Amino acid sequence: MIGDKIFWGKGYAYEAWGLILAYAFRRLGLRRITAGVAEGNEASITVLQKLGFQIEGCQRAEYWIDNRYRDRFMLGLLLDEFRSPPQFRQG
């Protein structure tokens, strides 16, 4: 579903990632989560940063996409940096 462009920009990725991260931190007790995003996928980077992820590095020419190599941006999130979507906050 998320791959279908008619669903893009509606907040579904933000909501899905928010649920996954809340579960990982609160139920599984994780303290750190990492993500990798291909160069050019600005929407994913924006969603992850909105949730609190920070860009920590870049792996140059990591992916072969559309007939060229693209960088992979590495993002990290610590428990105390997580900005849970409002509907998932404990109250």
Side-chain angles (χ1 to χ4, degrees):
M1 177 182 100
I2 291 176
D4 190 330
K5 290 184 180 184
I6 65 169
F7 296 105
W8 291 8
K10 298 188 185 303
Y12 298 137
Y14 176 69
E15 185 175 342
W17 272 111
L19 284 167
I20 292 165
L21 294 170
Y23 182 83
F25 285 130
R26 295 181 186 140
R27 299 293 301 268
L28 300 179
L30 300 183
R31 65 167 196 86
R32 175 179 167 75
I33 296 173
T34 61
V37 179
E39 169 191 357
N41 191 345
E42 299 302 323
S44 288
I45 292 173
T46 298
V47 166
L48 293 172
Q49 288 180 321
K50 188 175 176 181
L51 291 162
F53 278 84
Q54 296 181 34
I55 295 177
E56 297 181 334
C58 174
Q59 294 175 305
R60 297 175 298 146
E62 178 70 11
Y63 295 125
W64 180 256
I65 300 172
D66 296 330
N67 295 314
R68 74 177 185 95
Y69 285 102
R70 296 189 188 250
D71 294 345
R72 173 179 161 172
F73 295 101
M74 301 302 300
L75 295 92
L77 176 65
L78 301 176
L79 171 61
D80 62 343
E81 298 169 337
F82 176 44
R83 293 192 296 267
S84 178
Q87 63 268 37
F88 307 129
R89 291 195 183 123
Q90 292 177 327

